[in-house]
Amino acid sequence: MNRIKKKILLLHSSNDLYGASKIFLQIIEILSNQEYEIHVVLPSKGPMDDFFENKINLNYHSLGVFRKKYLNPLGLINRMLTNLKAIKFLSSYIKKNKINLVYTNTSTILAGGIAAKKNKIPSLFHVHEIPVGNKFYQLFSGKMINIYSNKIIAVSNSVKKHWIKYIDGKKIKRIYNGIIFKKTNTINKIERKNDDFVITSIARIIPYKGHSYLIDIANELIKKSNKFKFFVVGDTLSSYASYYESIIKKVRDIGLENQIKFLGFRKDVSKIIQESNLFIHPAISPDPLPTVLFESLYNDLPIVATNLGGAIEILDNGNNGLLIPYNDAKKAANLISDYCNNDKLQQNHLENGKNKLQSNFSPKLFKKNILKEVNEFFLNE
């Protein structure tokens, strides 16, 4: 007798190809290969669509994603109304398609957990965020996720430490992402000599990623030597268009247009990394688990990151890369300048980092851990 497939509804807050979205695609592949019937709801169409196969059921609907821009009276009313519509849509979808589990790949969508509880099915949250700056938002999100979840997966110890203040500790478990790399054609790297010394940053251009701070660091480094050049890879969200313009203006006002190049969103990040001499992640608030650091390690590019969030775990408190302060550009520039001249330390960090990448962040281990958490929902059926 054929076993009836269990049906899982997966929700995500955006349709792009940044870190959390790449993990979302990976989760879909893992679960669909285990004979689960996969249903996906996204807020809109986008670049992820090119990677979906016909074996999943793909739908689009506004999911009432919570972002900081809504933390005002009109914004909160907007989110309340949008979430009511999302809950109604998801609840109807769960009933119609006989969904057995709702998997929400973010802390910024609550409608899925609420709809799951309304239909008396389990809900799993996979949390990638460390929201800071608004205590009410943190408390509200934490309490809601605690109420409307059966399990929570945190992508790093930093994420777990943040959310456990609001969530039952028995529910939350840390599972590191499993990082998959695509092979690229070998290209020539820039020589480490007295020519241009290229420092690359790859991240969505939003405030907490620290692009303004990066410009301050760049300014201090360029005062030391004109050899320093910077590649900034990434685009922004429409809601942060004015912030992006302020970053461009800051570079122009300081007169660094020739030293700092904005490359926009790119699919060939491995090639850009291979053309660079150093990678920098200048976040000014805790970044949960910046997966681009793994790509840098994989491509033998030494890493500099601010001493916050998941970067501390990836760089093992400075054993796998250089940690710099997140609020002192001059000190950071001095540390980076010294690091650029220490090839032996860079190579030592790369070796340590690759060992940690293989032992803690392997796709095989990630798959095993994810399946364990999902399969446990159905063991007694």
Side-chain angles (χ1 to χ4, degrees), residues 43-297:
S44 62
K45 295 183 178 181
M48 265 203 297
D49 297 350
D50 295 336
F51 295 85
F52 292 130
E53 298 181 4
N54 293 331
K55 57 184 176 183
I56 75 162
N57 302 278
L58 178 60
N59 298 269
Y60 306 97
H61 195 278
S62 177
L63 295 172
V65 178
F66 279 94
R67 301 196 190 279
K68 287 184 179 179
K69 68 176 183 178
Y70 295 112
L71 295 177
N72 56 72
L74 288 177
L76 291 173
I77 292 171
N78 173 285
R79 289 300 86 185
M80 182 180 71
L81 295 175
T82 307
N83 268 272
L84 288 173
K85 292 177 182 178
I87 294 165
K88 182 179 180 181
F89 168 81
L90 292 173
S91 184
S92 175
Y93 190 94
I94 289 167
K95 289 176 183 176
K96 179 181 177 181
N97 294 281
K98 296 183 172 59
I99 299 297
N100 304 106
L101 170 67
V102 174
Y103 176 107
T104 305
N105 192 51
T106 176
S107 66
T108 63
I109 295 174
L110 301 176
I114 296 171
K117 191 156 192 173
K118 187 177 178 182
N119 284 275
K120 299 180 180 179
I121 64 170
S123 164
L124 186 157
F125 279 79
H126 196 160
V127 179
H128 302 256
E129 301 85 10
I130 304 177
V132 296
N134 189 295
K135 294 294 183 182
F136 170 77
Y137 175 75
Q138 294 176 49
L139 178 64
F140 174 76
S141 296
K143 294 300 183 184
M144 291 292 284
I145 290 172
N146 191 43
I147 293 169
Y148 293 105
S149 67
N150 297 85
K151 287 184 180 182
I152 300 105
I153 295 171
V155 300
S156 68
N157 290 326
S158 298
V159 173
K160 181 178 179 179
K161 182 179 178 181
H162 173 85
W163 287 101
I164 207 165
K165 292 177 286 187
Y166 314 105
I167 290 171
D168 180 358
K170 295 177 182 178
K171 286 186 177 183
I172 190 166
K173 182 174 182 178
R174 190 269 291 151
I175 296 179
Y176 282 135
N177 295 335
I179 310 303
I180 297 174
F181 301 100
K182 292 183 179 179
K183 293 187 178 295
T184 57
N185 295 328
T186 302
I187 59 175
N188 294 326
K189 288 186 178 182
I190 294 176
E191 296 289 336
R192 296 184 181 273
K193 55 186 181 182
N194 293 328
D195 292 351
D196 291 347
F197 190 97
V198 176
I199 301 178
T200 292
S201 170
I202 302 174
R204 175 173 275 157
I205 301 177
I206 53 179
Y208 93 89
K209 294 290 187 179
H211 292 88
S212 183
Y213 184 49
L214 172 61
I215 295 167
D216 294 335
I217 294 172
N219 192 32
E220 294 294 333
L221 282 169
I222 292 165
K223 288 177 184 176
K224 297 176 182 292
S225 172
N226 282 325
K227 71 179 181 179
F228 290 109
K229 300 292 189 297
F230 294 82
F231 289 164
V232 180
V233 179
D235 55 12
T236 191
L237 297 167
S238 58
S239 55
Y240 288 104
S242 60
Y243 171 75
Y244 177 79
E245 290 301 322
S246 73
I247 294 298
I248 300 297
K249 184 177 185 298
K250 183 172 182 175
V251 171
R252 188 168 56 246
D253 290 347
I254 299 175
L256 297 181
E257 299 101 315
N258 292 329
Q259 275 85 15
I260 302 177
K261 302 294 183 183
F262 290 85
L263 307 184
F265 177 79
R266 298 282 291 264
K267 293 183 179 180
D268 58 342
V269 291
S270 289
K271 290 185 178 181
I272 294 169
I273 287 173
Q274 290 170 29
E275 292 178 330
S276 305
N277 296 85
L278 193 69
F279 187 86
I280 186 167
H281 190 69
I284 56 172
S285 291
D287 199 335
L289 196 73
T291 54
V292 70
L293 300 192
F294 299 115
E295 191 142 16
S296 184
L297 286 171

Side-chain angles (χ1 to χ4, degrees), residues 310-321:
I312 298 174
E313 293 173 56
I314 297 170
L315 299 188
D316 192 24
N317 294 295
N319 291 315
N320 303 342

